[in-house]
Amino acid sequence: MAFRGAVITFPGSNCDRDMAVALEKVSGEPALRVWHADADLPDRLDMIAIPGGFSYGDYLRCGAIASRSPVMRAVVRAAERGVPVLGVCNGFQVLTESGLLPGALMRNAQLNFTCREARLTVENGQSLFTAGFESGSVVSFPIAHHDGNYFADAETLDQIEGDGRVAFRYLDEVNGSQRRIAGVLNAGGNVLGMMPHPERAIEPELGGTDGRVLFESAIGALVGA
Amino acid sequence: MKVRVHVSLKPGVLDPQGRAVHHALEGLGFDGVEDVRVGRLIELDVADGTSQATLDDMCRKLLANMVIENYRIEFPAEAQGAV
């Protein structure tokens, strides 16, 4: 069946086109584009992607306003039905603010906007999005954020670690994240939020192809079944 | 009715901005500053009679992120003894 993926655009999103290109290159199907004010999502979606950027100018808190927008109510309902949702960078912030993922993303500990390649350890190579990686392997994704410092209380951290819900961890210290967490899965495993940008690592010309594996894992599983 | 909502980081949550402000104060020669925490003040003008429960709801659903922040609601007119 033809893959149906959607990319949400908020005012201030700036990685939405990159995300759509990644979905299109890997799936061979056009990505549907959804505007933040839409109360309904296209039907029969295989996957929803929430891109990076600075939705609503990061007003109040990063992702706070976007997570209360009409389309996010529909995304939350879809996620609860089991539709796969990928949130990258600002998309991760939107997912924590919406309550789909635990924790919060705070200002980087060193206060700098950090824009570079980051090496990550794949902690869980079994999930929908990470099955193409080997658990424990090291991958390299670009990071570009000011507020990627993952925080959750110790009890929550113990729980998500114990349940295999840490998808990626920074190999080196980059932003002060608790336990160097870079990407988190929800309890159902169908929602992944991560600060590093897999959509910026899908072609050798972009500097790497590790990100492509993530899209191939998810899209392959969703359409190949 | 004027309402002030003070949003602050929970105790135990590291505050990188507070730390930077702390360093800057020391750099200006202010000694004896033990700690600095940066918060946010939100001023609302709401309909008279808006209940405490509604204000709490606003704080919990949007104004504060309860994972990392606490909030305190203040009624400045009352504090000054006005009607």
Side-chain angles (χ1 to χ4, degrees), chain A residues 60-61 64-65 68 97 103-104 106-111 149 151-152, chain B residues 9 13-14 16-17 19-20 40 42 61-65 67-69:
Chain A
L60 191 64
R61 298 176 303 273
I65 309 289
R68 276 78 173 172
E97 281 282 345
M106 301 180 56
R107 181 54 44 101
N108 291 348
Q110 80 284 20
L111 300 173
N149 179 352
F151 178 87
Chain B
L9 285 175
V13 176
L14 277 178
Q17 294 180 86
R19 210 169 46 189
R40 180 184 289 120
I42 302 170
K61 283 189 175 159
L62 180 63
L63 302 182
N65 179 340
V67 175
I68 48 173
E69 294 169 332

XYZ file of all heavy atoms in Angstrom, chain A residues 60-61 64-65 68 97 103-104 106-111 149 151-152, chain B residues 9 13-14 16-17 19-20 40 42 61-65 67-69:
270
model
N 6.350 31.859 25.477
C 6.014 31.194 26.743
C 7.043 30.110 27.058
O 7.842 30.289 27.960
C 4.588 30.637 26.729
C 4.068 30.170 28.078
C 3.965 31.320 29.081
C 2.720 29.484 27.942
N 7.005 28.988 26.349
C 8.045 27.946 26.437
C 8.106 27.309 25.060
O 7.109 27.296 24.334
C 7.675 26.853 27.461
C 7.529 27.299 28.896
C 7.065 26.129 29.772
N 5.822 25.545 29.305
C 4.614 25.980 29.647
N 4.473 26.999 30.466
N 3.531 25.403 29.163
N 5.147 25.248 23.585
C 3.973 25.345 24.463
C 2.722 25.748 23.693
O 1.653 25.158 23.880
C 4.231 26.339 25.594
N 2.837 26.755 22.846
C 1.642 27.242 22.147
C 1.250 26.232 21.056
O 0.077 25.909 20.886
C 1.895 28.640 21.537
C 2.464 29.608 22.591
C 0.611 29.187 20.916
C 1.514 30.046 23.648
N -0.886 23.324 22.008
C -2.306 23.597 22.304
C -3.068 24.004 21.046
O -4.199 24.486 21.134
C -2.425 24.724 23.344
C -2.285 24.264 24.799
C -0.865 24.027 25.197
N -0.693 23.747 26.626
C 0.457 23.368 27.154
N 1.533 23.194 26.391
N 0.549 23.134 28.439
N 5.368 18.913 25.574
C 4.379 19.893 26.043
C 2.954 19.358 25.901
O 2.068 19.729 26.666
C 4.527 21.210 25.274
C 5.677 22.094 25.770
C 5.329 22.850 27.055
O 4.138 22.912 27.403
O 6.262 23.363 27.703
N 8.566 14.282 30.532
C 9.699 15.184 30.675
C 9.477 16.531 30.035
O 8.371 16.871 29.611
N 10.570 17.310 30.007
C 10.527 18.657 29.437
C 11.906 18.977 28.888
O 12.902 18.355 29.276
C 10.142 19.670 30.510
N 14.655 21.907 28.483
C 15.019 23.198 29.058
C 16.170 23.818 28.278
O 16.780 23.167 27.435
C 15.420 23.015 30.520
C 14.293 22.401 31.351
S 14.775 22.192 33.061
C 15.235 23.870 33.477
N 16.480 25.079 28.598
C 17.624 25.761 27.998
C 18.887 24.913 28.170
O 19.114 24.323 29.227
C 17.784 27.117 28.698
C 18.908 28.028 28.238
C 18.935 28.341 26.778
N 17.700 28.670 26.108
C 17.300 29.906 25.790
N 18.019 30.934 26.136
N 16.183 30.090 25.114
N 19.713 24.821 27.108
C 20.956 24.066 27.190
C 21.772 24.514 28.408
O 21.843 25.714 28.697
C 21.812 24.297 25.936
C 21.199 23.663 24.695
O 20.271 22.870 24.792
N 21.738 24.016 23.540
N 22.404 23.560 29.075
C 23.102 23.875 30.321
C 24.177 24.931 30.114
O 24.418 25.766 30.979
C 23.702 22.610 30.914
N 24.832 24.898 28.946
C 25.908 25.881 28.712
C 25.371 27.149 28.081
O 26.135 28.046 27.752
C 27.035 25.251 27.874
C 26.797 25.185 26.369
C 25.817 24.093 25.936
O 25.021 23.606 26.722
N 25.843 23.727 24.669
N 24.055 27.216 27.903
C 23.332 28.401 27.415
C 23.523 28.707 25.936
O 22.892 29.605 25.397
C 23.677 29.656 28.231
C 23.354 29.581 29.723
C 23.892 30.819 30.431
C 21.867 29.471 29.957
N 17.883 20.435 26.583
C 18.349 19.911 27.856
C 17.201 19.124 28.497
O 16.314 19.690 29.121
C 18.766 21.133 28.690
C 19.268 20.803 30.066
O 19.202 19.666 30.521
N 19.768 21.814 30.749
N 14.861 17.103 30.743
C 14.666 16.965 32.187
C 13.431 16.121 32.486
O 12.371 16.309 31.877
C 14.487 18.331 32.865
C 14.243 18.202 34.346
C 15.308 18.143 35.227
C 12.961 18.055 34.849
C 15.101 17.966 36.593
C 12.737 17.865 36.210
C 13.810 17.829 37.084
N 13.584 15.198 33.415
C 12.435 14.531 34.028
C 12.887 14.152 35.429
O 14.102 14.081 35.699
C 12.017 13.293 33.234
N 10.863 27.861 38.504
C 11.328 26.484 38.395
C 11.191 25.788 39.744
O 11.421 26.391 40.784
C 12.785 26.444 37.938
C 13.043 26.736 36.471
C 14.550 26.781 36.203
C 12.393 25.688 35.576
N 15.374 21.666 40.216
C 15.568 21.738 38.765
C 16.658 22.771 38.502
O 16.533 23.921 38.923
C 14.270 22.149 38.037
C 14.509 22.309 36.544
C 13.173 21.119 38.284
N 17.721 22.336 37.836
C 18.833 23.254 37.562
C 18.350 24.398 36.677
O 17.584 24.196 35.743
C 19.960 22.510 36.849
C 20.924 21.726 37.731
C 21.954 21.018 36.869
C 21.617 22.650 38.734
N 19.871 27.020 34.284
C 21.058 27.563 33.606
C 21.022 29.084 33.493
O 22.061 29.744 33.636
C 20.992 26.928 32.212
C 20.073 25.757 32.333
C 19.119 26.090 33.437
N 19.832 29.651 33.284
C 19.761 31.114 33.165
C 20.067 31.780 34.497
O 20.769 32.792 34.547
C 18.373 31.522 32.679
C 18.096 31.052 31.271
C 16.711 31.454 30.791
O 16.520 32.551 30.286
N 15.757 30.568 30.956
N 21.952 30.631 36.765
C 23.390 30.504 37.008
C 24.166 31.569 36.253
O 25.114 32.165 36.770
C 23.846 29.094 36.601
C 25.026 28.594 37.405
C 25.261 27.123 37.143
N 25.220 26.813 35.714
C 25.226 25.585 35.221
N 25.250 24.552 36.028
N 25.205 25.391 33.929
N 23.738 31.837 34.992
C 24.426 32.855 34.194
C 24.245 34.237 34.814
O 25.185 35.040 34.865
C 23.896 32.841 32.768
N 9.142 33.769 35.779
C 8.360 34.524 34.802
C 7.137 35.096 35.511
O 6.524 34.428 36.341
C 7.915 33.557 33.698
C 7.105 34.176 32.600
C 6.625 33.109 31.618
N 7.697 32.563 30.803
C 8.054 31.294 30.774
N 7.430 30.407 31.514
N 9.020 30.894 29.992
N 3.442 36.661 34.806
C 2.397 36.821 33.796
C 1.257 37.611 34.426
O 0.717 37.207 35.464
C 1.894 35.447 33.301
C 3.075 34.653 32.719
C 0.789 35.606 32.259
C 2.749 33.209 32.420
N -2.825 24.091 32.612
C -2.972 23.693 31.207
C -2.043 24.451 30.276
O -1.786 24.001 29.164
C -4.414 23.896 30.752
C -5.342 22.819 31.263
C -6.707 22.912 30.635
C -7.582 21.735 31.077
N -8.994 22.039 30.914
N -1.564 25.624 30.685
C -0.739 26.393 29.759
C 0.364 27.219 30.417
O 1.524 27.132 30.009
C -1.627 27.334 28.916
C -0.870 28.190 27.901
C -0.164 27.329 26.856
C -1.804 29.174 27.201
N 0.004 28.022 31.422
C 0.948 29.049 31.862
C 2.196 28.459 32.505
O 3.284 29.004 32.374
C 0.247 30.029 32.813
C -0.971 30.737 32.218
C -1.565 31.714 33.224
C -0.619 31.461 30.926
N 2.044 27.331 33.199
C 3.207 26.668 33.797
C 3.320 25.262 33.227
O 2.315 24.654 32.864
C 3.046 26.597 35.310
N 4.532 24.776 33.108
C 4.756 23.378 32.748
C 5.015 22.640 34.052
O 6.084 22.780 34.648
C 5.950 23.261 31.800
C 6.235 21.814 31.423
O 5.810 20.885 32.106
N 6.949 21.621 30.331
N 5.835 19.857 34.870
C 6.977 18.931 34.963
C 8.166 19.629 35.624
O 8.916 19.026 36.385
C 7.377 18.421 33.563
C 8.630 17.561 33.623
C 6.234 17.645 32.933
N 8.328 20.911 35.326
C 9.524 21.616 35.801
C 9.215 22.876 36.602
O 10.109 23.439 37.227
C 10.448 22.015 34.612
C 9.636 22.678 33.491
C 11.227 20.828 34.093
C 10.506 23.254 32.375
N 7.954 23.327 36.569
C 7.661 24.640 37.152
C 6.558 24.568 38.209
O 5.679 23.714 38.165
C 7.226 25.622 36.049
C 8.332 25.946 35.063
C 7.848 26.694 33.820
O 6.676 26.532 33.424
O 8.654 27.443 33.253
